[in-house]
Amino acid sequence: DQQVPHWLRTDHPRLTVVDHREIFADPSVLPSFNSHAIESQLHHIPGLANLYLYLNDDVLFGSPVRPENFYHGNGLVKFFPSPAEVEPRAASRHDVAVTAAAKNNREFLERTQGRTLTNKMRHAPIPQSVTVLRALEAEHPELFEQVTSARFRRRSDYAIVSSLVHYYGFLKGKAVPGRIRNGYLDVASPNAANVLELWLRSRSYHSLCLNDSGTDDPAVDLMLREFLEQYFPLSSAWER
């Protein structure tokens, strides 16, 4: 929504900031504050490589990674199933939007592919293929239209990029399960400080997810600042 972080060096030659207006097929739905909608349009970025990584804003690289962590040499996309299962009950008004989206994904695959998904995906960097996303969009344009029309998250959303396209690609022979060393933390959990200390000592995960469950505790902010300054002590070339 025409927003750029104040600390970002937008003039850096290796950085391109892409506005929503450049990628949404239907600009009348903007501004959008629905991450399900925004991520469903990423493959429309002009000049984007066919194989690319997508990270949510709470995911960080925890150690050096290589292309083969995310793709096979023949272009097959790797995806990372979580041991956490999608709740077996049908979507209801009691579900938060993320849970409902996972259940909607399951219903969609049962209806269109005759297959049932059981597991969520890990909170990690998400390998993508423009080719696979375009194929899904061409086959089911109504799916993308429904998601992008929601300005805010709602229970009728689908998690297209973070989950659905991987199962779709798997069924089409374009994606396969893979493994990644990822750390996940709800920053408001009672043992958060202990987990962050372990991460600092080992630095063994490919990626880290600092999931914010909505806490506004100043002590949590301080804990995260101290952790991040120790884990990433040097500014990147893209920071002012």
Side-chain angles (χ1 to χ4, degrees), residues 97-119:
V98 174
T99 301
K103 294 179 178 181
N104 294 339
N105 284 356
R106 179 177 60 207
E107 185 277 332
F108 173 83
L109 288 176
E110 289 176 342
R111 173 166 44 87
T112 62
Q113 306 294 327
R115 296 291 187 271
T116 299
L117 68 86
T118 58
N119 291 71

Side-chain angles (χ1 to χ4, degrees), residues 42-195:
L42 294 179
H43 62 292
H44 295 162
I45 293 175
L48 184 66
N50 180 49
L51 303 180
Y52 66 95
L53 293 181
Y54 163 48
L55 282 73
N56 283 130
D57 58 0
D58 57 1
V59 175
L60 309 163
F61 287 113
S63 62
V65 295
R66 298 177 58 85
E68 51 264 36
N69 293 123
F70 306 102
Y71 300 97
H72 286 283
N74 60 359
L76 280 178
V77 178
K78 297 181 181 181
F79 61 92
F80 309 116
S82 167
E85 296 179 348
V86 178
E87 187 183 72
R89 291 181 293 182
S92 74
R93 60 185 179 86
H94 302 292
D95 291 327
V96 297
V98 174
T99 301
K103 294 179 178 181
N104 294 339
N105 284 356
R106 179 177 60 207
E107 185 277 332
F108 173 83
L109 288 176
E110 289 176 342
R111 173 166 44 87
T112 62
Q113 306 294 327
R115 296 291 187 271
T116 299
L117 68 86
T118 58
N119 291 71
K120 301 177 181 179
M121 294 291 173
R122 292 183 179 273
H123 292 258
I126 306 172
Q128 297 287 294
S129 164
V130 171
T131 301
V132 178
L133 275 161
R134 285 178 177 169
L136 177 60
E137 187 174 27
E139 193 172 327
H140 298 282
E142 76 289 347
L143 185 72
F144 287 76
E145 291 169 5
Q146 177 176 330
V147 172
T148 57
S149 65
R151 193 154 290 184
F152 298 91
R153 280 186 178 183
R154 61 188 182 189
R155 293 187 181 92
S156 59
D157 282 353
Y158 295 85
I160 295 176
V161 169
S162 59
S163 176
L164 182 57
V165 74
H166 296 305
Y167 287 114
Y168 174 83
F170 186 37
L171 294 171
K172 299 296 183 180
K174 302 296 184 181
V176 292
R179 294 182 179 181
I180 190 170
R181 298 194 307 272
N182 75 297
Y184 173 85
L185 176 66
D186 178 343
V187 299
S189 65
N191 66 333
N194 294 332
V195 172

Side-chain angles (χ1 to χ4, degrees), residues 202-215:
S202 68
R203 296 178 181 262
S204 60
Y205 290 112
H206 289 128
S207 66
L208 312 172
C209 178
L210 297 169
N211 192 276
D212 181 3
S213 57
T215 179

